[in-house]
Amino acid sequence: MQEVTLIIKNASILTIDDSYSIFNPGAIAIQNDIIEAVGNESEILSSYSAKEVLDAAGKILMPGLINAHTHVPMTLLRGLADDLRLDVWLLGYMMPVEREYVTPEFVKLGTMLACGEMIRSGITCFCDMYYFEDDVAEATAAVGMRAICSESILKFPTPDAASYDESLAYSKKFIEKWKNHPLIIPSIAPHAPYTCTPEIIKKSKDIAIHYDIPLHIHLAETQQEVENIVSEQGMPVIPYMDKLDLFDAKVIAAHCVHIDPGEIRLLKKRNAGVAHNPSSNLKLASGISPVKQMMEIGINVGIGTDGPASNNDLDMFEEIRLTTFLAKGSSGDPTALPAKTTVAMATRIGAKALHIEDITGSLTPGKRADLILIDISKIHNSPNFRHLPDSLYSQVVYAAKAHDVSDVMVNGKWLMTDHKLLTLDEENLMKQGQEYAKRIDTFLFQRESSVLSKLVAIGGTMEEESFEVQLKIKIENPGAIIEMITNSNLPILRKRHYHEYDTYFYFDDPDQGKLRYREDHFISEKNEVVNLRQRLTLLGENVKKHIPQEVMLSRSRFFAPATQSLRFYKEYFNPSNTLEVEKDRKRYLVSYKDTEFFINVDSFIVPDLGTYLEIKSRTWSRKDAETKSELALELMKILNLHNKPTITKDYIDLL
Ligand SMILES: [Zn+2]
């Protein structure tokens, strides 16, 4: 009789080992952190004895669930912004709030909250990607869960690094600190192909190979990402990553939603693990990942919750069920991904996808004791049929709920017994979480109340407030005016021709000003579009005092290159009204009495307002504005325009 630390008996055991052995009733013998033996109850009890023997009547005993992709500290951002497109959600809300609030303290608290939620959902191991990953690791190890902790690297500044060089240096230190820890596997996470340069991808891959650790990355999550990579790199996402030798590392690829059969074969050939995140893909309408096809050719596909801000919970039971339902529903084949396969994806195959199958993922002697008990005696899971042994898998996938998990053990230590968390004080953590929510609420209340602060929040370099003296005259014969400009003695410093597409955003409160999204198409001498430029300008109310009546002083408050699409800005700023203006502009930069003026000949196409001549110059002081106004009026006379500056009613409405 061999003495062990713990025996759990009288359980319905799903081992999820290579032959999917089931023991019912079964027992497991655990020696410290290691599974010593698992088998029929009678066999185990005749060979092993222990001081602690647990009777698991009415329960399924199985390996702990593996959450293959998540961002655990984001529990503190859960429900902050929903029902948005990925770019608006990420660039408009998540990243600005993260820049403001994500600190080591935030990350630790968010991780602890996530651990509590995950333990309750039967998760024993998760694969994380965030910032301050050292603090994620600290908190996780303190709670006693197993995790792959991946430090994020992005091409722009992050909450824990001013540059990617800093992130790479942080990663090395972090990896050296945690390598060989019994619970934490450090990893590196170049965030995604569209947020990383090829250099970042290559350097991250080199670090992963050097330290022999997994590399965690988001790949082919949206159609947009694929289209952008194809247009920039001339190939889809997976071949592009392969070209950068990414798959020389042990890759954990989250999502892989938009990949073709060739890319699926390439992932298999390169032994990449994939993390499927059904809730997140559905909620963000990213698409449906070809999981059935990937599984058929033998890719290891694990299941993940993704971050709690895009899900919004960490319930693996929901993900498991969605995985099988999505595969069936999208293929029209009810035999696709049977319950048994899906349970394996959430355990052993998940461990393979994370490259940690030697440690965890199945109840196999020699592996760490990471296991859960699921109570199947509740009304929603009865009665129990046993004529088919696989019906236990069906019970887990189609009927069990996260809250049926009663006991959770990681590395031989109980983290939850009889629904009670043993290493966390949930109430206290939730109270602290609410404090953060209050502070973030205040920040967002303030930001959302001003167009300017919303503009600043999405970054980009801004030019500060400026004024312009503007004089406008409706003209009937643009050709004659252009001739007049060219034949005058005015030195022409520059000449441009463009087609402008403006979209004005109006807001209920006129004090907010209006926002203009402008796309300039530069037209060459040969009348071809040679270049595009997009800009955002926040326009303030025009000032009419202190300068001659005919001249207007316009106020342009902030100005930034528009790096996102018009659709993005519309969804992010949510204006009460928009207006489209299209015009053809011939622009001359002239010098008059040592002062630079732009003379624009603007032919409006939409709306059809005819042609306007515009004389304008930038100004910063009242005195300067007065002088420039006088000069502009003189210029008008030089151009033989003797009629008064006119602004018609429909033009004013446009302003
Ligand atoms: Zn993610």
Side-chain angles (χ1 to χ4, degrees):
M1 202 68 132
Q2 191 182 328
E3 178 83 14
V4 290
T5 20
L6 169 72
I7 291 174
I8 306 172
K9 63 170 193 176
N10 199 17
S12 305
I13 298 184
L14 297 174
T15 61
I16 331 281
D17 60 12
D18 287 337
S19 40
Y20 290 86
S21 314
I22 294 176
F23 304 106
N24 198 6
I28 188 167
I30 292 158
Q31 177 64 13
N32 299 317
D33 54 345
I34 301 289
I35 297 169
E36 187 67 33
V38 56
N40 287 319
E41 188 184 69
S42 54
E43 263 170 56
I44 298 294
L45 293 183
S46 63
S47 314
Y48 297 92
S49 68
K51 280 204 189 81
E52 192 189 345
V53 178
L54 183 75
D55 189 322
K59 290 178 178 174
I60 287 178
L61 168 62
M62 62 175 276
L65 302 175
I66 294 178
N67 183 356
H69 174 69
T70 185
H71 312 276
V72 288
M74 293 178 92
T75 43
L76 288 172
L77 303 177
R78 178 185 356 239
L80 180 143
D82 290 311
D83 306 324
L84 299 169
R85 245 173 270 275
L86 180 65
D87 56 0
V88 178
W89 177 82
L90 190 67
L91 305 170
Y93 289 87
M94 289 303 141
M95 286 184 166
V97 170
E98 285 176 336
R99 273 196 291 273
E100 203 74 20
Y101 287 96
V102 173
T103 60
E105 181 211 359
F106 175 102
V107 160
K108 269 191 189 144
L109 177 60
T111 301
M112 302 257 249
L113 280 161
C115 286
E117 186 181 353
M118 286 192 289
I119 294 167
R120 288 203 172 282
S121 138
I123 296 167
T124 52
C125 174
F126 61 94
C127 181
D128 192 59
M129 179 199 292
Y130 208 59
Y131 316 106
F132 296 110
E133 210 53 47
D134 183 47
D135 297 281
V136 174
E138 289 278 1
T140 304
V143 173
M145 284 185 79
R146 192 179 303 289
I148 294 184
C149 297
S150 329
E151 171 69 12
S152 301
I153 324 272
L154 285 90
K155 65 184 171 190
F156 23 76
T158 60
D160 64 356
S163 71
Y164 68 81
D165 273 330
E166 261 181 48
S167 300
L168 290 167
Y170 178 107
S171 299
K172 284 188 201 167
K173 247 176 81 185
F174 163 67
I175 294 162
E176 278 163 17
K177 176 173 167 188
W178 289 96
K179 197 139 168 52
N180 303 321
H181 189 275
L183 292 172
I184 306 299
I185 294 142
S187 142
I188 191 162
H191 176 265
Y194 62 95
T195 47
C196 290
T197 60
E199 190 201 354
I200 296 177
I201 301 275
K202 277 190 165 282
K203 284 191 168 166
S204 303
K205 177 259 312 174
D206 289 341
I207 290 174
I209 293 170
H210 176 78
Y211 290 104
D212 190 29
I213 49 147
L215 180 148
H216 189 182
I217 187 168
H218 294 107
L219 291 183
E221 181 173 1
T222 63
Q223 188 64 43
Q224 186 68 49
E225 172 189 346
V226 174
E227 280 167 19
N228 291 349
I229 297 284
V230 167
S231 85
E232 284 161 25
Q233 307 295 339
M235 62 185 92
V237 175
I238 306 300
Y240 170 46
M241 289 295 105
D242 194 42
K243 198 183 119 197
L244 299 175
D245 299 326
L246 179 84
F247 300 108
D248 289 354
K250 298 189 283 191
V251 169
I252 302 162
H255 302 304
C256 297
V257 174
H258 298 278
I259 52 172
D260 61 32
E263 291 180 279
I264 293 175
R265 282 194 295 275
L266 191 52
L267 283 172
K268 166 68 186 157
K269 207 168 140 199
R270 299 284 187 263
N271 195 31
V274 171
H276 172 51
N277 305 274
S279 284
S280 168
N281 294 161
L282 286 170
K283 181 164 179 262
L284 294 165
S286 304
I288 298 173
S289 169
V291 172
K292 183 174 173 262
Q293 292 86 326
M294 288 194 276
M295 289 290 291
E296 272 165 5
I297 71 159
I299 294 176
N300 296 312
V301 184
I303 301 173
T305 58
D306 209 349
S310 57
N311 184 312
N312 292 357
D313 59 24
L314 299 169
D315 182 343
M316 271 296 281
F317 281 79
E318 190 180 8
E319 302 305 322
I320 292 172
R321 195 176 310 182
L322 276 176
T323 296
T324 174
F325 284 180
L326 265 180
K328 293 176 195 305
S330 63
S331 65
D333 174 9
T335 68
L337 293 195
K340 183 175 169 178
T341 309
T342 330
V343 170
M345 289 171 72
T347 54
R348 180 167 48 84
I349 297 173
K352 276 189 181 176
L354 304 186
H355 310 275
I356 53 169
E357 203 215 356
D358 54 326
I359 302 174
T360 189
S362 63
L363 302 182
T364 308
K367 282 197 184 183
R368 308 288 175 79
D370 295 353
L371 54 87
I372 59 174
L373 290 171
I374 305 170
D375 185 354
I376 48 166
S377 67
K378 295 286 155 57
I379 190 165
H380 60 266
N381 214 341
S382 62
N384 301 320
F385 293 100
R386 292 293 171 257
H387 69 286
L388 296 172
D390 285 1
S391 61
L392 281 170
Y393 297 111
S394 300
Q395 286 196 273
V396 172
V397 176
Y398 302 126
K401 316 275 175 239
H403 55 76
D404 294 334
V405 176
S406 58
D407 303 77
V408 172
M409 172 178 277
V410 176
N411 217 40
K413 249 190 83 184
W414 289 114
L415 304 186
M416 182 167 81
T417 51
D418 197 18
H419 301 277
K420 192 175 166 7
L421 295 178
L422 303 178
T423 56
L424 284 167
D425 178 353
E426 274 170 298
E427 239 162 77
N428 181 26
L429 291 171
M430 276 159 54
K431 217 189 268 169
Q432 291 179 55
Q434 192 50 45
E435 286 302 312
Y436 264 104
K438 248 193 240 165
R439 283 159 55 193
I440 295 172
D441 258 343
T442 312
F443 167 77
L444 284 175
F445 269 130
Q446 256 163 15
R447 189 192 85 164
E448 295 291 297
S449 66
S450 144
V451 175
L452 176 59
S453 58
K454 282 194 83 165
L455 186 60
V456 172
I458 50 173
T461 40
M462 301 280 170
E463 226 174 87
E464 294 223 1
E465 185 161 55
S466 73
F467 293 89
E468 236 176 28
V469 165
Q470 293 184 349
L471 186 153
K472 295 176 199 289
I473 311 166
K474 180 149 195 193
I475 54 174
E476 297 306 328
N477 188 348
I481 294 291
I482 288 169
E483 215 163 291
M484 192 71 77
I485 299 168
T486 12
N487 294 340
S488 70
N489 290 328
L490 296 167
I492 297 173
L493 310 176
R494 203 164 62 224
K495 206 170 103 182
R496 284 275 159 79
H497 179 195
Y498 24 7
H499 216 76
E500 290 180 343
Y501 300 85
D502 292 341
T503 304
Y504 289 89
F505 294 5
Y506 298 91
F507 303 93
D508 286 333
D509 173 7
D511 288 344
Q512 297 286 346
K514 58 182 178 289
L515 196 62
R516 184 183 65 204
Y517 175 90
R518 167 167 288 177
E519 186 164 309
D520 285 326
H521 291 196
F522 292 86
I523 313 286
S524 71
E525 300 273 339
K526 289 183 200 151
N527 234 1
E528 284 163 348
V529 177
V530 285
N531 204 359
L532 298 184
R533 178 175 67 180
Q534 293 87 5
R535 287 183 299 173
L536 266 186
T537 311
L538 180 60
L539 302 159
E541 291 249 45
N542 293 327
V543 188
K544 288 178 180 116
K545 282 181 207 157
H546 307 303
I547 52 170
Q549 269 192 2
E550 302 87 344
V551 184
M552 191 173 66
L553 193 60
S554 92
R555 182 166 165 232
S556 151
R557 295 180 64 193
F558 281 86
F559 171 83
T563 48
Q564 305 300 323
S565 65
L566 174 59
R567 192 265 310 148
F568 171 89
Y569 294 116
K570 271 188 190 162
E571 290 179 9
Y572 176 63
F573 287 103
N574 194 22
S576 52
N577 224 334
T578 60
L579 177 83
E580 318 244 319
V581 177
E582 183 188 337
K583 62 175 180 280
D584 185 78
R585 166 170 281 183
K586 296 212 170 67
R587 152 172 280 201
Y588 303 85
L589 176 63
V590 303
S591 173
Y592 177 63
K593 292 194 177 167
D594 292 331
T595 306
E596 287 189 357
F597 282 93
F598 280 113
I599 303 181
N600 296 328
V601 180
D602 291 340
S603 300
F604 285 84
I605 300 156
V606 179
D608 185 9
L609 298 175
T611 302
Y612 274 83
L613 178 90
E614 189 179 51
I615 299 174
K616 58 189 196 181
S617 185
R618 256 182 136 188
T619 187
W620 277 273
S621 73
R622 185 193 298 178
K623 185 97 198 64
D624 186 49
E626 281 170 26
T627 319
K628 283 188 173 164
S629 304
E630 298 297 342
L631 291 177
L633 287 165
E634 283 179 36
L635 255 180
M636 193 184 89
K637 294 208 172 70
I638 289 175
L639 294 173
N640 231 356
L641 290 159
H642 298 293
N643 42 336
K644 274 205 150 210
T646 44
I647 299 180
T648 56
K649 175 81 174 62
D650 41 3
Y651 198 135
I652 289 174
D653 288 346
L654 193 65
L655 298 168

